[in-house]
Amino acid sequence: MSNATTDEGSSQNRPLRPWRCLWTLVLIIGTGLASRTFARAWSPDWMLLYGGDVLWAAALYGVLLLGLRSRSGWFVFGLTIAGATGIEFSQLYQADWAQELRTTVPFNFVLGQGFLVSDLIAYVTGALGMRVLDILWFRAG
């Protein structure tokens, strides 16, 4: 009987093409920064509300994938969701020192500003999109 996780042709047995992932990551990060900075004048409302979070989770998946090449894509997906969810819930912590950190540009991009359930949906969307790219392009022949 055949098992998709152990077949010769399964995406997990194919080598990761790190350059494909790296270039995708550069594009995602550039688009994400643009969506949070100068795109406010021309972006649709949904992009302003959810685009950055989708792209943030996609970037996190890409970074984790490059760092954990020997792990399965589903492991990286799970780690991405766990990390993004943890950071989102950390926004409920409102100590003065944490709020002060969030006012700096790097920590604002990483930690965010306030807890929203919709952000959790955006993270799943971004990570799932990258998982699909991982299967179809990062590991494609």
Side-chain angles (χ1 to χ4, degrees):
M1 191 171 336
S2 177
N3 183 342
T5 60
T6 59
D7 284 347
E8 281 291 319
S10 78
S11 66
Q12 194 54 44
N13 291 330
R14 291 186 229 144
L16 177 68
R17 306 290 195 264
W19 285 106
R20 290 179 181 182
C21 185
L22 186 61
W23 284 113
T24 302
L25 196 54
V26 167
L27 181 65
I28 287 168
I29 291 170
T31 304
L33 290 174
S35 78
R36 295 290 192 201
T37 53
F38 61 83
R40 295 195 187 282
W42 53 267
S43 289
D45 289 342
W46 64 266
M47 180 63 174
L48 292 173
L49 291 172
Y50 309 113
D53 297 313
V54 169
L55 295 169
W56 187 90
L60 180 59
Y61 182 101
V63 167
L64 292 172
L65 182 64
L66 288 172
L68 302 170
R69 292 180 199 184
S70 65
R71 301 306 297 250
S72 78
W74 288 113
F75 176 84
V76 173
F77 175 82
L79 197 57
T80 300
I81 297 303
T85 301
I87 288 173
E88 188 66 25
F89 276 97
S90 78
Q91 294 172 19
L92 294 171
Y93 184 67
Q94 299 290 315
D96 290 340
W97 68 268
Q99 291 299 88
E100 189 65 32
L101 266 181
R102 289 182 182 114
T103 63
T104 65
V105 172
F107 285 100
N108 185 9
F109 282 140
V110 173
L111 299 177
Q113 296 259 340
F115 178 84
L116 293 171
V117 172
S118 61
D119 288 352
L120 299 174
I121 296 166
Y123 299 148
V124 170
T125 303
L128 195 56
M130 282 296 274
R131 179 66 185 124
V132 169
L133 279 178
D134 184 9
I135 292 167
L136 298 178
W137 196 55
F138 301 156
R139 297 180 198 269

